[in-house]
């Protein structure tokens, strides 16, 4: 019976109105496409890091790295001695980053050049790793020109050179590099001319090496990176054989005990998970934002299925009179909704895969600018994500179709067959102002819920998102009441225009479809306007922070530092030369290191505290109570923390915190909390003298310079660039401009998401009006008989569409003020720990409103021209 009803009751109507059905599918598909494209882009951005960490370490069973700082190379002998003759391969690893050298930096943006991962391996140890694939052992064979990798002059010559490098096949193809060619890169403050020794071996059984991976022999990288005797990590491989798992477990426990707190043991999967955790808040918020189009589409699907219920009332009545049960009718209706969702989901996933190729570039730019280097350029179609997208489409369609199915099944046959009853049917939910106010009250209460906290200090503002949803749905219900009041207020225009009189008379008797159309518009406009408020508030806050923080004349870092994951530093000899330059009046040398506190990553920074006192450049949330923090003789156990650090680790001024350093754990007292919008992981600042003593080196991350009053900063910049070509020397104006550019780039993807939401809502308005005109066929026929011309009827529909758009815009902008507040003070604060200054971009909101009203009016006019020719007996 259900199959028969599906063919005769559902598919027949789909075939009779193919354009309407196709448009419904397309609307839902657009919402799914946006969601799916963002999910694929997020996966690709994280996957680029996973490919890098998994290329050479996928066969390792575990790794160790120092609890803080670096491992001394002497641990290799200690480990080998402790393991005795147990079968175990030990592979030391050193990592740094590099970029292609550029002699012309004029007009270049920060992060414009790709960052390369420079990996130092004991290539002899790598050669000795057992593998079923002989290609894994050809580092020095055919590709490097040597005839025997176990001997021969070429092999030892390559190992003795400090500039031999192996590159990925993709990079060789992109840059047209061959064996013996040279690749000039910047490492630290030096330009190093690397010689191509070979191509990184590949295997079909392993992931292809990422394009930005360069591999060198370990001693060579230690030399050019000024890190002699240092290691980033050591990897271990236990050969397969009898009781291999037991041996792995015993050896891992023994190595962990041997460390005695000097190192931590983790698996390659742990490292990949750490990178994923780093970007999880960003990716989660972007995913939720991508659901705007889907949320707007839900209103439309609900409205379309509800309209179909009204148009098929007589058929439903006949079926019920013939004995078809209420349960069967409901099942058929839900099956129609599920089919609609299934088709939309598959189409949306295919569209989303195409859109992901563009979205991945926006997401990749943000990840590269704020988190770690990534060269991802495309997103692969993933079966798991595909299944999630299709399931979401079906679920969304079932949610939207549940109420129409319930209505279709529960109305008695006699009432269904009454045409008068059809015209009088109302949705009490949409007409309930009490429910709208109740949702607003619930939304207001939800903002007080604390965020959910997960591993890695991830905070998810569930209360904030739930509050935003309640606000949007409640506002959508109440906006329907506003529509009638707007029509009543503009009723006087009917004295001057018959089109206005007809439009306002229709809106005075506001139907459920009108209310749904306005709710959909309100949803899209609220989200778009709310994001405009968030971006404007962020930019206003950033400008104030930049003005207060960046007051110096010149800012210097390694030219290889193109993103936050850089490991390039400036040698003490270089920064001493710069700091003592006669043209420099004052200098702040900064050192930094990534550390983990309780398994949560953050930044540990050494600065000249006296510099901050001489040139106040911190925006305080909780200022120090005295000046001890600025005195090196008194501040060894004092620290300053950023606001995001305070929120992640739940510490305030006056609290104590223990941090790991190479010199052992240090207990520090928080002297003050400052604002910092450049690092969501948080930062802990101590005096650089203590930082250098604890870490045992003076390698600087960056320098901040004030030039003498009688010296032009540009002249100092030119002089230093000529003297140190491997450094990037930025003026105050350039750095401020670049920070704002990166900020706007970060939000670029959100503008596309907002635009799609608006497009979906305007199309929904057009579908609403076309559905309404189908129900007014008799009225349209009467108007034609009375002499109304086609453009006059179209004008009346345009006025109706303009008033619907006006109501959606007014309600949307009003609700967006509340949403903007939630985004700024709840969602943003709980996700990233930043306090922003609330700013309303009135001009941008006015432009948005006018654009929506104008577009809605135009769409309504053309729908009206189509509807003016409808025959009185058309079924759909």
């Amino acid at each position: 019976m259900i199959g028969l009803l599906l063919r005769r009751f559902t598919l027949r109507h789909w075939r009779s109105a193919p354009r309407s059905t196709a448009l419904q599918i397309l609307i839902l598909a657009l919402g799914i496409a946006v969601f799916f494209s963002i999910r694929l882009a997020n996966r690709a951005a994280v996957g680029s890091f996973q490919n890098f960490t998994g290329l050479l370490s996928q066969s390792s069973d575990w790794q160790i790295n120092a609890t803080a700082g670096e491992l001394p190379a002497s641990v290799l002998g200690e480990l080998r001695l402790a393991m005795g003759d147990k079968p175990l391969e030990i592979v030391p690893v050193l990592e740094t980053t590099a970029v292609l050298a550029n002699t012309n930096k004029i007009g270049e943006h920060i992060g414009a050049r790709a960052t390369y991962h420079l990996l130092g391996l004991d290539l002899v140890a790598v050669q000795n790793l057992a593998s079923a694939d002989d290609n894994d052992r050809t580092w020095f064979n055919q590709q490097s020109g040597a005839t025997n990798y176990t001997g021969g002059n070429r092999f030892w010559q390559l190992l003795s050179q400090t500039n031999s490098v192996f590159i990925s096949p993709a990079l060789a193809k992109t840059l047209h590099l061959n064996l013996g060619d040279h690749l000039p890169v910047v490492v630290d403050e030096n330009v190093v001319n690397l010689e191509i020794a070979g191509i990184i071996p590949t295997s079909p059984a392993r992931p292809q090496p990422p394009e930005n991976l360069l591999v060198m022999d370990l001693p060579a990288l230690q030399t050019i990176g000024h890190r002699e005797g240092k290691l980033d990590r050591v990897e271990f491989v236990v050969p397969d054989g009898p009781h291999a798992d037991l041996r792995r477990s015993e050896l891992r426990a023994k190595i962990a005990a041997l460390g005695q707190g000097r190192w931590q043991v983790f698996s390659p999967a742990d490292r990949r998970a750490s990178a994923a955790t780093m970007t999880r808040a960003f990716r989660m918020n972007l995913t939720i934002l991508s659901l705007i189009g889907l949320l707007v589409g839900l209103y439309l699907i609900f409205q379309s299925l509800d309209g179909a219920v009204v148009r098929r009332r007589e058929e439903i009545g006949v079926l019920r009179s013939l004995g078809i049960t209420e349960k069967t009718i409901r099942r058929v209706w839900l099956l129609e909704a599920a089919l609609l969702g299934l088709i939309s989901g598959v189409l949306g996933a295919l569209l989303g895969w195409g859109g992901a190729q563009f979205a991945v570039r926006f997401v990749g730019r943000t990840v590269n600018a704020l988190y770690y280097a990534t060269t991802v350029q495309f997103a692969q179609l993933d079966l798991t994500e595909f299944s999630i997208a299709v399931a979401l489409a079906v679920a969304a369609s079932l949610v939207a179709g549940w109420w129409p199915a319930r209505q279709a099944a529960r109305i008695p046959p006699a009432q269904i067959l009454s045409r008068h009853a059809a015209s009088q049917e109302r949705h009490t939910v949409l007409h309930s102002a009490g429910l709208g106010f109740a949702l607003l009250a619930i939304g207001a209460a939800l903002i007080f819920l604390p965020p959910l906290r997960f591993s890695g200090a991830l905070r998810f503002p569930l209360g904030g998102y739930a509050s935003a949803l309640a606000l949007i749905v409640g506002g959508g219900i109440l906006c329907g009441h506003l529509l009638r009041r707007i029509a009543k207020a503009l009723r006087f225009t009917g004295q001057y225009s018959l089109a206005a009189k007809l439009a306002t008379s229709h809106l005075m008797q506001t139907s459920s479809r009108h209310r749904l159309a306005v709710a959909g518009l309100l949803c899209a406009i609220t989200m778009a306007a709310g994001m405009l408020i968030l971006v404007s508030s962020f930019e206003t806050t950033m400008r104030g922070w930049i003005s207060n923080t960046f007051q110096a004349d010149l800012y210097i870092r390694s030219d290889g530092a193109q993103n936050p994951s850089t490991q390039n530093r400036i040698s003490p000899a270089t920064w001493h030369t710069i700091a003592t330059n006669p043209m420099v009046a004052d200098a702040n040398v900064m050192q930094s290191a990534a550390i983990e506190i309780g398994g949560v990553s953050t930044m540990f920074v050494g600065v000249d505290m006296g510099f901050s006192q001489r040139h106040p450049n911190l925006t305080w949330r909780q200022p120090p109570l005295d000046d001890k923090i600025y005195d090196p003789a008194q501040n060894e156990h004092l620290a300053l923390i950023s606001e995001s650090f305070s929120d992640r680790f739940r510490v305030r001024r006056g609290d104590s915190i223990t941090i790991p350093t190479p010199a052992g754990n240090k207990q520090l007292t928080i002297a003050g909390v400052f604002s910092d919008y450049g690092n969501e992981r948080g930062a802990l600042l101590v005096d650089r003298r203590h930082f250098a003593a604890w870490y045992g080196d003076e390698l600087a991350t960056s320098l901040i310079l004030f030039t003498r009053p009688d010296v032009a900063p540009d002249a100092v910049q030119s002089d230093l660039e000529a003297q140190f070509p491997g450094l990037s020397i930025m003026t105050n104006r350039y750095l401020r401009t670049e920070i704002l550019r990166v900020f706007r780039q970060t939000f670029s993807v959100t503008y596309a998401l907002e635009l799609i939401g608006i497009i979906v809502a305007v199309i929904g308005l057009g579908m609403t009006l076309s559905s309404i005109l189908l129900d007014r066929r008799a009225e349209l026929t009467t108007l034609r008989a009375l002499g109304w011309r086609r453009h006059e009827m179209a004008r009346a529909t345009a006025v109706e569409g303009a008033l619907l758009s006006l109501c959606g815009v007014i309600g949307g902008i009003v609700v967006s003020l509340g949403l903007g507040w939630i985004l700024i003070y709840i969602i943003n604060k709980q996700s990233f720990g930043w306090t922003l200054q609330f700013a309303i971009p009135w001009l941008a909101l006015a432009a948005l409103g006018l654009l929506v009203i104008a577009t809605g009016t135009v769409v309504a006019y053309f729908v009206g021209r189509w509807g003016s020719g409808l025959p009185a007996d058309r079924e759909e």
Side-chain angles (χ1 to χ4, degrees):
M1 177 61 67
I2 290 178
L4 176 64
L5 290 176
L6 183 65
R7 292 193 302 274
R8 298 290 186 178
F9 182 68
T10 298
L11 299 183
R12 177 173 62 85
H13 285 281
W14 284 16
R15 289 193 298 269
S16 64
R19 286 180 296 182
S20 175
T21 303
L23 197 54
Q24 291 178 44
I25 292 172
L26 180 61
I27 290 297
L28 186 56
L30 276 176
I32 294 297
V34 174
F35 170 80
F36 188 56
S37 65
I38 293 299
R39 294 274 297 186
L40 287 184
N42 286 340
R43 177 180 282 265
V46 174
S48 67
F49 188 90
Q50 292 176 342
N51 285 339
F52 166 67
T53 60
L55 172 68
L56 298 172
S57 63
Q58 67 174 9
S59 58
S60 66
D61 296 295
W62 65 85
Q63 309 167 2
I64 64 169
N65 64 0
T67 305
E70 299 167 311
L71 288 169
S74 59
V75 302
L76 295 175
E78 182 182 353
L79 289 167
R80 189 71 272 174
L81 181 63
M83 295 300 103
D85 58 356
K86 291 182 175 62
L88 178 69
E89 292 289 347
I90 300 175
V91 183
V93 180
L94 186 69
E95 286 183 278
T96 188
T97 54
V99 300
L100 292 179
N102 183 15
T103 56
N104 182 17
K105 303 174 187 175
I106 298 176
E108 183 185 53
H109 293 308
I110 294 176
R113 279 176 282 164
T115 296
Y116 295 96
H117 285 282
L118 202 49
L119 199 64
L121 298 172
D122 181 350
L123 293 180
V124 176
V126 172
Q127 296 281 21
N128 292 331
L129 285 175
S131 173
D133 188 350
D134 290 337
N135 289 331
D136 289 345
R137 304 176 64 181
T138 56
W139 288 79
F140 298 102
N141 201 357
Q142 297 175 359
Q143 295 167 338
S144 62
T147 58
N148 184 353
Y149 68 80
T150 61
N153 293 333
R154 179 59 177 163
F155 170 72
W156 298 111
Q157 180 185 352
L158 289 171
L159 288 186
S160 65
Q161 292 178 183
T162 59
N163 67 335
S164 297
V165 68
F166 289 80
I167 63 175
S168 65
L171 183 62
K173 182 178 179 180
T174 300
L175 299 183
H176 308 290
L177 295 172
N178 298 306
L179 299 180
D181 289 347
H182 287 84
L183 184 68
V185 298
V186 177
V187 180
D188 293 334
E189 76 267 31
N190 303 309
V191 178
V192 181
N193 204 23
L194 300 177
E195 181 181 344
I196 309 303
I199 306 299
I200 298 172
T202 60
S203 167
R206 291 186 177 183
Q208 292 298 302
E211 184 175 327
N212 64 333
L213 180 63
L214 309 175
V215 177
M216 298 184 69
D217 193 36
L218 178 65
L221 185 56
Q222 287 175 324
T223 300
I224 68 171
H226 305 293
R227 298 169 69 186
E228 290 84 352
K230 301 293 185 181
L231 302 173
D232 280 308
R233 67 179 186 270
V234 179
E235 302 193 10
F236 302 86
V237 179
V238 178
D240 291 329
H243 311 294
D245 291 338
L246 179 60
R247 287 187 285 114
R248 290 187 180 100
S249 178
E250 291 175 349
L251 289 173
R252 176 168 180 164
K254 186 171 183 178
I255 288 175
L258 182 65
Q260 296 180 340
R262 293 175 296 164
W263 57 66
Q264 52 188 354
V265 183
F266 60 98
S267 67
D270 295 333
R271 191 167 183 233
R272 292 192 293 268
S274 177
T277 299
M278 191 186 306
T279 60
R280 191 177 297 165
F282 161 73
R283 292 183 289 112
M284 186 178 296
N285 282 277
L286 195 58
T287 299
I288 292 174
L289 183 62
S290 70
L291 294 173
I292 296 175
L294 184 60
L295 183 59
V296 177
L298 275 177
Y299 281 106
L300 179 59
I301 298 302
F302 178 88
Q303 171 186 301
S304 299
L305 293 175
D306 178 67
V309 170
V310 176
R311 289 193 296 273
R312 303 179 200 174
R313 293 175 59 89
E314 294 183 9
E315 291 183 47
I316 296 172
V318 171
L319 291 172
R320 292 293 307 280
S321 300
L322 292 174
I324 303 299
T325 65
E326 174 184 329
K327 188 176 183 180
T328 302
I329 293 291
R330 185 167 59 250
R331 284 182 175 177
V332 171
W333 209 261
L334 288 174
L335 184 58
E336 178 175 346
L339 284 175
L340 185 66
L342 179 63
I343 298 171
S344 300
V346 173
L347 177 61
L350 295 176
L351 292 174
W353 178 65
Q357 311 314 316
F358 297 95
V360 72
R361 296 173 188 173
F362 291 107
V363 174
R365 277 189 223 153
T366 301
V367 170
N368 195 66
L370 300 180
Y371 301 102
Y372 52 77
T374 174
T375 56
V376 60
Q377 295 294 324
F378 65 93
Q380 295 181 340
L381 188 62
D382 183 83
L383 183 59
T384 301
E385 296 292 349
F386 183 91
S387 302
I388 291 174
V390 173
L392 179 63
V394 173
S397 190
L398 286 173
V399 168
W402 175 80
W403 180 265
R406 180 175 179 273
Q407 291 294 99
R410 294 187 64 178
I411 302 175
Q415 185 178 351
I416 292 177
L417 293 172
S418 169
R419 293 183 179 273
H420 178 71
S423 64
Q424 295 299 315
E425 184 181 348
R426 296 161 61 94
H427 290 301
T428 56
V429 171
L430 295 172
H431 292 260
S432 174
L435 177 60
F437 284 115
L439 286 172
L440 295 186
I442 292 172
L446 287 171
I447 65 175
F448 295 103
L449 289 178
L452 300 178
R453 291 183 177 266
F454 302 100
S455 61
L458 174 67
R459 295 147 294 170
F460 180 64
L462 177 62
Y465 284 120
S467 175
L469 181 61
L471 177 66
I472 292 172
V473 176
I477 293 174
L478 293 176
C479 200
H481 297 273
L482 176 64
L483 180 61
R484 184 174 183 180
R485 285 167 174 75
I486 290 177
K488 187 176 181 179
L490 297 176
R491 189 169 50 182
F492 72 92
T493 58
Q495 303 174 15
Y496 312 101
S497 168
L498 288 177
K501 185 173 184 177
L502 183 62
T504 53
S505 67
H506 284 141
L507 294 180
M508 286 291 292
Q509 301 176 358
T510 309
S511 69
S512 296
R513 296 184 193 176
H514 285 122
R515 293 173 182 270
L516 279 169
V518 167
L521 277 170
L522 179 139
C523 176
I525 294 166
T526 296
M527 295 299 291
M531 286 304 301
L532 285 175
I533 292 173
L534 174 63
V535 173
S536 177
S537 300
F538 216 129
E539 184 164 358
T540 300
T541 305
M542 285 285 288
R543 288 184 179 277
W545 174 69
I546 290 170
S547 176
N548 189 56
T549 303
F550 298 96
Q551 302 175 10
D553 297 311
L554 296 175
Y555 297 84
I556 303 175
R557 56 168 173 74
S558 165
D559 196 35
Q562 294 286 314
N563 61 67
S565 68
T566 182
Q567 295 170 330
N568 285 265
R569 301 291 187 265
I570 304 172
S571 67
T574 298
W575 67 253
H576 272 296
T577 301
I578 295 173
T580 56
N581 189 302
M583 294 184 290
V584 175
D586 201 357
N588 184 10
V589 179
M590 304 179 68
Q591 296 181 254
S592 66
I595 61 172
E596 287 191 0
I597 303 175
V600 179
S601 63
T602 189
M603 292 303 298
F604 184 34
V605 184
V607 299
D608 181 353
M609 290 294 184
F611 184 91
S612 298
Q613 187 179 36
R614 297 190 297 273
H615 311 282
N617 62 345
L618 295 177
T619 303
W620 296 109
R621 304 304 304 175
Q622 294 179 325
L625 299 177
D626 53 48
D627 291 341
K628 291 181 180 179
I629 186 65
Y630 303 114
D631 184 1
Q634 303 182 71
N635 64 11
E636 182 176 359
H637 301 290
L638 298 178
L640 300 175
I641 61 172
S642 66
E643 183 183 15
S644 51
F645 183 100
S646 172
D647 192 68
R648 279 165 66 88
F649 296 96
R650 303 194 222 186
V651 289
R652 302 289 184 267
R653 183 181 60 192
D655 293 344
S656 294
I657 189 167
T658 300
I659 63 164
T661 75
N665 290 340
K666 302 294 179 181
Q667 187 172 21
L668 303 175
T669 300
I670 309 303
V673 182
F674 62 93
S675 296
D676 178 16
Y677 301 98
N679 174 22
E680 74 173 71
R681 288 186 293 166
L684 183 144
L685 276 57
V686 299
D687 195 282
R688 194 193 64 80
R689 296 171 181 83
H690 310 311
F691 184 99
W694 297 338
Y695 274 78
D697 68 54
E698 290 194 322
L699 292 171
T701 305
S702 60
L703 283 82
I704 301 175
L705 305 181
F706 278 94
T707 60
R708 282 173 33 196
D710 58 335
V711 177
D714 291 344
V716 180
Q717 179 188 26
S718 300
D719 183 68
L720 293 177
E721 284 180 339
Q723 189 176 359
F724 303 103
L727 292 180
S728 175
I729 303 166
M730 299 166 284
T731 62
N732 185 296
R733 177 182 298 179
Y734 171 81
L735 184 60
R736 291 186 181 201
T737 302
E738 282 296 285
I739 291 174
L740 288 175
R741 181 190 64 81
V742 171
F743 158 76
R744 296 190 182 102
Q745 174 183 290
T746 302
F747 284 98
S748 59
V749 69
T750 66
Y751 300 132
L753 298 179
E754 295 167 16
L755 179 61
I756 291 174
I758 294 293
I759 291 173
V760 170
V762 172
I763 294 176
L765 172 63
M767 289 191 67
T768 296
L769 291 173
S770 64
S771 180
I772 289 173
L773 291 179
L774 282 170
D775 288 343
R776 295 181 189 165
R777 291 188 299 269
E779 177 185 309
L780 294 174
T781 302
T782 303
L783 290 175
R784 286 196 296 269
L786 292 174
W788 277 57
R789 287 172 292 184
R790 192 169 187 178
H791 74 273
E792 290 175 319
M793 288 188 280
R795 197 182 307 153
T797 307
V799 173
E800 190 172 351
L803 293 179
L804 285 168
S805 300
L806 175 64
C807 182
V809 166
I810 293 174
I813 291 179
V814 170
V815 175
S816 73
L817 298 178
L819 178 63
W821 188 93
I822 293 172
L823 288 172
I824 291 168
Y825 294 112
I826 305 299
I827 295 177
N828 165 75
K829 176 65 176 172
Q830 292 183 0
S831 295
F832 303 106
W834 294 329
T835 298
L836 305 180
Q837 178 182 343
F838 194 85
I840 302 175
W842 292 113
L843 187 61
L845 294 181
L848 173 66
L850 291 174
L851 178 64
V852 171
I853 292 172
T855 306
T857 303
V858 171
V859 168
Y861 178 83
F862 284 104
V863 170
R865 284 188 66 86
W866 165 81
S868 63
L870 282 173
D873 58 349
R874 178 163 177 169
E875 181 182 348
E876 287 284 352

